[in-house]
Amino acid sequence: MTTAMENAEEVVRDAGEPWRRLSPRMLAVHPVMELRRLIFPLVAVLIGVRSGDGGEGGWWALAIGGLGIGLGFLRYFTTSFRITPTHVQVRRGLLRRRVLTVPRDRIRTVDVTSNVLHRIFGLARVTVGTGQTDRRNDGVKLDGLSAAAAENLHRELLHRPVAASRLSPSPSPFASPSRSLSPSPSPSPVAETALAVLDPAWIRYGPFTLSGLVAIGVLFGIGSRLVNESHVDVTKVGYVHDSLDYLGRRPLPVAILLVAAAVVVFTVIASTIGYVLTFWNFRLSRHAGGTLHVRRGLLTTRNTTIEERRLRGVELSEPLLLRSVRGARVLAIATGLRVGRGADRGGSILLPPAPRAVAAAVGGTVIGDPDPLTTALIPHGARARRRRFTRAGTVSTLLALVVLAFVLLAGTPWWAFWTTLALLPIGALLAADRAAALGHALTGDWLVSRHGSLVRRRYVLRTDAVIGWNMTTSVFQRRAGLTTLVATTAGGRQSYAVPDVPDAEAIRVARAAVPGLLEQFLSY
């Protein structure tokens, strides 16, 4: 009965809040955003005009541009929102009206982002998340608040207890009918302590992140689509034609080396630029209200707030190239952070690629205990090491035999087979690196697990955040007396493995980390 009465009171309070529109300055932003989505057909039409199809192409270009502008205006006038003491709601759509609602007690993250266009007009986008992964479209987005109003909303939703607002809702800068979206008086400043600030010297780690390869893929995809839309034969374009002709006159190995060198140079440049664009002005701070605040970005700024009570641990990530220059980055293991599209986009990054010593120190400061990031780990033994070499050798040998069959039966050049044989020593080196990475430890209230080669990860997980154990054993593991122990939790990836650990050690770790949880499933 009490719950029903509380729900009825919430409905009454929500019904009294007015629906509001985004900032009118979005009338200048939305049309540009819609035109960006129509860029491919627009470019195709403009290229057709230059190819001499008469005046019809120009009319089509005007029509497409008018459509984009019209959609932008329509998007503004059909979007409204309201912030109530109990909910955040966004209403959009013309023919199909939708209302997206997020209960304020379900809010886990509030991200404030501003791209170049937003910053020109003094705007910001607020994304309210509820703790689901990026595989689902959770939460709501308010794309087009003034920068000051967005900051006020950010503070209100995360720095003020929702329970208090349910009992005695205090005035909100967005809830009063007499107020517009102009900035309202900000809440009292929250004391903060800086934990990490970008050192320009860290930019040297940018080329070792390989983010430039992603840029190459994106540019290749955009270029391919433009070529398809415009029906242009790129091999006849002057610079491309000359480059292909130059490579065609060179021996195949030389041509491959030249292309590889060009890709490496572009990757280094693009990765460095990407590092600067993504992490410039980076700042990690701890607020007295019990939150961690991350700010970063040059052209597009992003502010992410993580409640420390939802923090379950940290991850020290060391990709192979970054590890070669003693670099690492720190990620948060927390409930409510989107993890489906990578750390940078999901908001779990706590420190960009930086010196490993700095990363370990920041991770220890975040969790309040430096030992889990630096303590020596228990190795998994010779049997686990042997499994790494066996798997690497099996895969390389099978691949070499397949290529040999193509050489003997299909006439494939012999150099393909000799190239494949090079995978044997490479596989052995990776196996040795993977074996050296294996380790685990229990230190204080933390479970530590490390594994991986191409990306070596050291997971530091609070033992009281473990809600269950999975013990998996394959046929080959059973023969070797090994088990993969998996800790399940509500945060981050939701499962963290201690791979190829001896059976007795797996049981010991599970018992010591969470006493009493495993006993009910063991038979003596």
Side-chain angles (χ1 to χ4, degrees):
M1 180 62 110
T2 303
T3 302
M5 292 179 62
E6 289 178 351
N7 291 338
E9 291 176 358
E10 290 180 4
V11 172
V12 171
R13 284 202 300 267
D14 289 354
E17 302 296 338
W19 289 94
R20 301 180 176 278
R21 296 199 185 279
L22 303 173
S23 171
R25 282 171 279 181
M26 284 303 293
L27 288 171
V29 176
H30 277 323
V32 177
M33 297 172 65
E34 295 296 337
L35 284 175
R36 185 179 59 185
R37 298 177 183 177
L38 299 173
I39 188 65
F40 292 110
L42 188 60
V43 169
V45 169
L46 292 176
I47 292 178
V49 172
R50 292 186 60 183
S51 301
D53 65 346
E56 295 183 2
W59 289 109
W60 277 109
L62 288 175
I64 293 174
L67 176 63
I69 295 174
L71 289 174
F73 279 98
L74 186 64
R75 180 179 174 187
Y76 172 81
F77 286 109
T78 58
T79 301
S80 56
F81 75 97
R82 65 180 179 183
I83 310 296
T84 76
T86 56
H87 293 92
V88 178
Q89 295 179 307
V90 175
R91 183 173 62 187
R92 60 167 62 99
L94 179 62
L95 301 179
R96 183 185 176 187
R97 202 69 159 165
R98 292 188 302 163
V99 178
L100 304 178
T101 301
V102 172
R104 290 183 61 170
D105 57 1
R106 292 282 306 278
I107 294 175
R108 301 294 181 263
T109 59
V110 180
D111 290 353
V112 181
T113 57
S114 300
N115 58 33
V116 177
L117 198 58
H118 282 81
R119 291 167 68 180
I120 289 175
F121 291 95
L123 300 170
R125 177 192 295 117
V126 177
T127 303
V128 181
T130 59
Q132 302 296 322
T133 68
D134 277 342
R135 299 184 188 95
R136 291 173 53 187
N137 221 352
D138 72 303
V140 298
K141 292 182 180 180
L142 300 175
D143 188 1
L145 298 178
S146 68
E151 183 61 28
N152 285 341
L153 179 59
H154 174 266
R155 291 178 180 175
E156 181 188 9
L157 293 180
L158 283 181
H159 292 302
R160 188 183 68 178
V162 176
S165 67
R166 284 175 176 266
L167 298 176
S168 56
S170 58
S172 163
F174 300 91
S176 174
S178 62
R179 295 185 184 181
S180 64
L181 285 177
S182 57
S184 58
S186 303
S188 57
V190 181
E192 65 171 332
T193 303
L195 304 182
V197 179
L198 179 72
D199 184 342
W202 297 351
I203 297 175
R204 70 180 186 271
Y205 293 101
F208 300 95
T209 61
L210 292 185
S211 60
L213 289 178
V214 179
I216 292 176
V218 171
L219 292 177
F220 181 79
I222 294 175
S224 299
R225 185 169 178 181
L226 285 174
V227 169
N228 291 333
E229 294 284 350
S230 58
H231 305 289
V232 174
D233 186 0
V234 293
T235 60
K236 296 181 179 179
V237 177
Y239 180 76
V240 177
H241 179 270
D242 294 342
S243 299
L244 293 176
D245 183 62
Y246 176 82
L247 292 174
R249 295 196 304 267
R250 298 293 180 272
L252 182 60
V254 175
I256 293 175
L257 288 176
L258 289 174
V259 172
V263 171
V264 169
V265 171
F266 183 85
T267 300
V268 168
I269 296 174
S271 297
T272 304
I273 294 175
Y275 187 100
V276 173
L277 294 178
T278 304
F279 297 115
W280 192 253
N281 291 326
F282 176 89
R283 177 184 173 87
L284 170 66
S285 58
R286 171 175 279 134
H287 288 243
T291 59
L292 296 172
H293 186 71
V294 178
R295 176 184 174 86
R296 58 185 172 89
L298 180 60
L299 299 181
T300 299
T301 59
R302 178 170 187 174
N303 295 270
T304 302
T305 299
I306 304 170
E307 292 181 282
E308 290 195 85
R309 65 190 179 93
R310 304 190 185 282
L311 192 67
R312 301 294 180 260
V314 294
E315 172 189 335
L316 190 69
S317 177
E318 302 174 84
L320 182 59
L321 288 181
L322 190 59
R323 191 167 77 246
S324 68
V325 291
R326 298 183 179 181
R329 61 178 184 167
V330 182
L331 311 176
I333 300 176
T335 60
L337 290 181
R338 300 182 295 278
V339 299
R341 289 188 290 186
D344 293 352
R345 299 190 66 180
S348 61
I349 187 77
L350 292 179
L351 187 75
R356 191 188 185 283
V358 174
V362 170
T365 302
V366 168
I367 64 175
D369 186 354
D371 289 343
L373 278 301
T374 57
T375 188
L377 302 182
I378 301 173
H380 290 190
R383 288 173 293 177
R385 179 182 179 86
R386 187 163 53 248
R387 266 179 54 80
R388 266 66 194 156
F389 281 94
T390 301
R391 291 164 66 180
T394 301
V395 171
S396 300
T397 301
L398 288 177
L399 185 58
L401 291 176
V402 170
V403 174
L404 180 60
F406 275 94
V407 170
L408 297 176
L409 301 177
T412 303
W414 276 98
W415 63 262
F417 173 71
W418 302 122
T419 303
T420 307
L421 289 182
L423 294 178
L424 290 171
I426 294 176
L429 290 174
L430 289 177
D433 189 55
R434 293 181 65 210
L438 286 176
H440 68 279
L442 277 174
T443 172
D445 297 326
W446 303 96
L447 170 65
V448 184
S449 174
R450 186 185 67 189
H451 56 87
S453 177
L454 296 180
V455 180
R456 179 176 293 180
R457 294 184 171 95
R458 184 184 185 114
Y459 299 114
V460 178
L461 183 66
R462 264 176 31 200
T463 54
D464 60 2
V466 176
I467 58 178
W469 296 103
N470 289 327
M471 301 179 72
T472 61
T473 306
S474 68
V475 174
F476 302 104
Q477 283 179 308
R478 283 198 296 271
R479 294 182 61 183
L482 300 174
T483 296
T484 295
L485 178 67
V486 180
T488 58
T489 182
R493 302 173 185 271
Q494 278 116 42
S495 61
Y496 294 90
V498 184
D500 284 346
V501 66
D503 296 339
E505 178 66 8
I507 295 175
R508 184 196 72 81
V509 169
R511 281 176 166 173
V514 188
L517 181 61
L518 196 63
E519 268 67 14
Q520 55 186 317
F521 302 104
L522 296 176
S523 58
Y524 299 92

